[in-house]
Amino acid sequence: MIKRIFLGKHKVKFNFNEDLFFSIYRNDLFVKDLGNILNAENKEIFSIKSKDVIKNRDKIKNIINNILKKKIEKIASNNRRKIDATFFLSDGLISLTNLSWFIFLIFTRIIEKYENKELELILPTKFQTFQRPKSSFELHSLSHNVNFIDFLAYKFLFKMCPSSWQIVFKENIIENIRMPKEENINFQARTFFGLSRCSNEQFDIFSSFVLGIFLWIKKVKRTNFYFPDKKDIKNVENIKIPDKFNEIFSEIINQFLPEYFYSNLQNDFYLFSILPIYRSGYSRLVNTYSNNDRYNLFNMVAANKGEKLINFQHGLTYGTRLIMGKAEFREYLIGFFISWGWKSHGNLVNSLFKMPSPLLSKFNILRKRSKVKNHIIFVGTTMCLCEISFTSKPLITNLFKYREDKIKFLKNINNGILSKLFYKGGDSKNNNFLSDSKYLKEYITNLKICESNFRKYFACCRLAVIDHPTTAFSESMTANIPTIGFWDCDSWAFTEEAKYEFEKLKKVGILFDDPISAANKINEIYPNYEAWWNSEHIQAVRKDWCSKYALQDKNWLTKWISIF
């Protein structure tokens, strides 16, 4: 039997034991049980582990620096006004780069395995029509559209297909996916009330206004004495990127670089340059949202006028992840950075100040005002099959293991504990998301799902279980909620500093490497969670960890004013 590789969603009957599916990011292909239907060969080809992410990190850097940035600067600059493409490396453009390299990498694996064998490449006869996106926001939405990923994959597969393979076009099922509309109301309100100087998403309207005033009239300490210290100086110029990839990726950029770069950018550049609102040596606390190309241009002009841009941490990934698939290309490079407590993020950036998070501080207040009830909250994270970025988290087929670990945990806790547990999973509204809540209930029929008022349930729980190292873990720890964490360190790669600090949590039984050990710990401390959690040695380790990765303060705004 000739092996077949399918791209897209087809009407043809699949041979699940033999066929390979390139469109593995399409959860709608296999209804609900994608992880169990895929054969071992398919899973192996599409497996992206931490070592693969690390191995490909510098190649992504090379592509961004030597193809993407140069292409942006060539298209958007003119003789009078040159742009710095670093400011325009939006999530949309970074996602497109990662996605393109992922497709190339996987297809290269397939070619290496089957190049001299008979093989049928089954391609779609029709695709959803895609126009040049107007903005980076539209491009970012496209990069998470399974039809668009199929379209990009077709470009690579058709041009890279070995001559020994047979290309067959078959009728496919195409369902046009509506693109979301950009909503900037909160961002615009913060920018307006923050007097254009404080637009960071962690601050509400009032605090944006207060900090905006201070940013207008006072300089931020330290910013005039040294430049942001970017520590990662590794040269990636000599890393070889295959010519075939360069050729195809250049075509993709030419086709899908947002319209803004061709049309309005230079006019806006001129208008922003003549605005009388810049003060050399003064600072702006900028928004980390990067898909607004006009806002990126404004920040570039402000920096050119001598202003100091400051970014602020907005999640636990900062300071802990070994690889930051987006922040290390833009956020860490355009200005200073303020952390939730850490001094340096590996070899990427040093923190200008260590400041309390408004987000964590407000949740801590909510916890203190809540009457603690008798339930447990188990928090999962979004599992998006088409969120393809070479960063330190589970990707593609590793998401199936992440989901299976939840089942192992739930099956190993006592029934009395399970009866008090609510599960809060990730988004499941789109076909490319793994519907973990629905999936788990098929195995654990009496599992209760937290479908609304999550933060209320979270704030008043007796015990929190977190299976991923993101902001929910920081919130639980800093609010002093009895907390058990578990995750697979082969999927979540950390800096040496973060690994050392997480190891302290493991030694006292707060954090575990596997779900069964975590379940056994909860069985052990049930029902006296508080007695265990409030013990002197647990609290000492918790406070020490929070001082480095989760600062909060009830008077956080006063603390922030002290930076001037």
Side-chain angles (χ1 to χ4, degrees):
M1 178 180 291
I2 297 177
K3 184 166 287 292
R4 301 183 298 177
I5 300 179
F6 285 85
L7 173 68
K9 187 175 182 180
H10 291 270
K11 296 181 179 180
V12 181
K13 187 176 181 179
F14 300 128
N15 181 338
F16 290 107
N17 293 323
E18 294 292 332
D19 291 337
L20 298 179
F21 304 99
F22 197 93
S23 301
I24 193 172
Y25 39 79
R26 297 190 73 113
N27 193 34
D28 58 342
L29 271 175
F30 311 99
V31 189
K32 64 181 180 180
D33 209 7
L34 180 61
N36 292 332
I37 289 175
L38 288 172
N39 58 57
E41 199 172 12
N42 218 147
K43 289 181 180 179
E44 178 187 357
I45 288 171
F46 276 84
S47 176
I48 302 291
K49 298 180 180 178
S50 289
K51 63 180 182 180
D52 300 307
V53 173
I54 295 168
K55 183 179 178 181
N56 286 279
R57 176 194 193 186
D58 289 338
K59 293 179 180 178
I60 296 289
K61 282 186 177 182
N62 184 292
I63 295 164
I64 289 172
N65 289 333
N66 294 319
I67 302 178
L68 180 59
K69 289 176 68 173
K70 290 180 179 179
K71 183 74 71 172
I72 293 172
E73 289 171 352
K74 181 179 179 180
I75 290 170
S77 297
N78 62 26
N79 293 332
R80 295 174 60 190
R81 288 182 287 274
K82 305 289 185 182
I83 72 161
D84 180 352
T86 302
F87 287 83
F88 297 91
L89 292 178
S90 62
D91 285 358
L93 286 166
I94 299 296
S95 294
L96 182 65
T97 306
N98 277 268
L99 183 57
S100 299
W101 182 251
F102 167 80
I103 293 170
F104 180 84
L105 175 66
I106 297 302
F107 199 51
T108 300
R109 286 182 181 178
I110 296 172
I111 291 173
E112 289 173 353
K113 190 165 187 174
Y114 299 106
E115 184 171 13
N116 298 318
K117 298 179 182 179
E118 285 189 84
L119 188 144
E120 276 190 0
L121 181 58
I122 313 297
L123 299 179
T125 58
K126 53 189 176 182
F127 290 97
Q128 182 176 343
T129 302
F130 298 103
Q131 305 296 328
R132 182 187 301 279
K134 294 178 181 178
S135 65
S136 285
F137 172 82
E138 289 190 6
L139 178 60
H140 188 253
S141 299
L142 275 181
S143 69
H144 290 72
N145 180 322
V146 291
N147 291 335
F148 181 71
I149 302 176
D150 279 346
F151 177 74
L152 288 187
Y154 172 80
K155 282 180 169 290
F156 281 95
L157 268 61
F158 191 77
K159 292 194 174 185
M160 294 173 64
C161 181
S163 57
S164 59
W165 293 4
Q166 181 181 359
I167 297 178
V168 178
F169 291 92
K170 295 204 173 189
E171 185 179 359
N172 60 304
I173 302 169
I174 187 75
E175 299 164 352
N176 287 345
I177 299 174
R178 289 185 177 182
M179 303 303 293
K181 293 183 178 181
E182 187 172 15
E183 296 180 359
N184 278 331
I185 295 176
N186 291 332
F187 166 64
Q188 291 170 349
R190 280 193 300 270
T191 303
F192 177 78
F193 288 102
L195 308 178
S196 82
R197 292 201 165 267
C198 181
S199 57
N200 191 277
E201 61 269 35
Q202 279 207 54
F203 300 97
D204 57 23
I205 299 298
F206 174 74
S207 55
S208 294
F209 178 68
V210 172
L211 290 173
I213 291 174
F214 275 90
L215 287 163
W216 262 112
I217 63 177
K218 285 183 171 288
K219 293 182 178 180
V220 174
K221 297 173 184 175
R222 305 179 188 171
T223 55
N224 284 340
F225 296 102
Y226 62 91
F227 292 101
D229 183 11
K230 305 298 181 265
K231 300 163 58 180
D232 193 356
I233 57 174
K234 184 177 180 180
N235 184 9
V236 296
E237 297 293 326
N238 297 324
I239 295 175
K240 179 67 176 173
I241 303 298
D243 291 338
K244 179 59 71 174
F245 175 84
N246 290 341
E247 174 194 336
I248 301 171
F249 184 62
S250 292
E251 290 179 10
I252 291 170
I253 293 300
N254 286 336
Q255 187 173 356
F256 293 106
L257 185 69
E259 181 64 34
Y260 181 77
F261 291 94
Y262 294 90
S263 57
N264 298 326
L265 186 144
Q266 279 296 326
N267 288 335
D268 287 345
F269 196 164
Y270 170 73
L271 291 174
F272 290 161
S273 297
I274 62 175
L275 289 174
I277 60 173
Y278 307 105
R279 304 191 71 189
S280 181
Y282 287 75
S283 299
R284 291 181 184 272
L285 192 55
V286 300
N287 195 291
T288 55
Y289 177 65
S290 67
N291 286 323
N292 188 316
D293 301 310
R294 184 170 274 109
Y295 180 68
N296 294 339
L297 174 62
F298 177 75
N299 285 330
M300 187 198 78
V301 172
N304 289 345
K305 297 283 188 178
E307 295 200 336
K308 315 293 184 178
L309 304 185
I310 301 175
N311 278 291
F312 177 45
Q313 180 175 350
H314 57 101
L316 180 58
T317 56
Y318 294 83
T320 61
R321 298 272 181 92
L322 180 63
I323 298 174
M324 294 289 286
K326 295 172 182 175
E328 59 185 277
F329 296 111
R330 179 180 167 275
E331 279 180 74
Y332 285 173
L333 298 179
I334 65 173
F336 297 94
F337 198 87
I338 294 177
S339 77
W340 288 354
W342 45 267
K343 181 180 179 181
S344 65
H345 186 164
N347 289 323
L348 297 176
V349 72
N350 286 336
S351 177
L352 178 67
F353 294 105
K354 305 170 187 177
M355 299 302 295
S357 160
L359 175 72
L360 300 182
S361 301
K362 290 174 183 178
F363 184 74
N364 189 54
I365 293 171
L366 178 61
R367 169 67 175 183
K368 289 179 178 179
R369 292 176 178 174
S370 300
K371 182 179 180 181
V372 177
K373 298 184 179 179
N374 199 33
H375 65 270
I376 300 168
I377 194 80
F378 178 19
V379 187
T381 191
T382 299
M383 293 185 284
C384 180
L385 284 170
C386 65
E387 189 176 343
I388 301 166
S389 177
F390 287 84
T391 188
S392 304
K393 67 176 185 179
L395 300 170
I396 312 295
T397 55
N398 290 323
L399 286 172
F400 305 137
K401 180 185 182 303
Y402 170 63
R403 189 169 65 175
E404 293 304 314
D405 280 349
K406 298 173 188 289
I407 294 175
K408 290 179 182 178
F409 170 78
L410 292 168
K411 285 187 173 181
N412 279 277
I413 57 174
N414 296 339
N415 288 333
I417 299 173
L418 182 61
S419 67
K420 298 177 176 64
L421 184 143
F422 286 84
Y423 178 72
K424 170 60 178 175
D427 194 345
S428 60
K429 296 176 183 177
N430 206 326
N431 283 333
N432 49 318
F433 286 92
L434 293 176
S435 304
D436 55 329
S437 298
K438 184 177 179 181
Y439 179 82
L440 294 180
K441 275 192 73 69
E442 293 186 4
Y443 289 86
I444 315 292
T445 55
N446 58 335
L447 178 66
K448 293 192 283 289
I449 306 297
C450 178
E451 297 184 359
S452 61
N453 297 320
F454 164 62
R455 297 192 71 74
K456 179 181 176 182
Y457 272 87
F458 192 10
C460 66
C461 70
R462 276 194 70 200
L463 175 72
V465 181
I466 319 288
D467 67 0
H468 57 287
T470 60
T471 307
F473 188 77
S474 298
E475 288 178 312
S476 191
M477 290 285 283
T478 196
N480 204 14
I481 297 173
T483 304
I484 293 290
F486 70 89
W487 48 76
D488 180 4
C489 289
D490 287 336
S491 295
W492 306 87
F494 302 108
T495 64
E496 289 301 318
E497 298 94 327
K499 280 196 288 188
Y500 177 75
E501 297 301 332
F502 279 133
E503 198 62 37
K504 294 179 183 178
L505 301 184
K506 291 178 185 178
K507 288 180 179 179
V508 296
I510 295 175
L511 182 61
F512 298 87
D513 289 324
D514 67 277
I516 296 176
S517 297
N520 290 339
K521 180 64 180 182
I522 294 174
N523 293 338
E524 174 193 326
I525 62 177
Y526 172 76
N528 301 312
Y529 309 128
E530 292 83 3
W532 163 75
W533 184 254
N534 291 324
S535 61
E536 187 175 340
H537 71 290
I538 292 288
Q539 284 296 304
V541 172
R542 180 194 73 83
K543 290 175 182 177
D544 179 64
W545 186 87
C546 288
S547 71
K548 297 180 176 74
Y549 294 105
L551 287 177
Q552 65 82 27
D553 194 296
K554 66 179 181 180
N555 298 315
W556 61 267
L557 185 55
T558 303
K559 293 277 187 182
W560 270 88
I561 292 173
S562 70
I563 71 174
F564 298 99

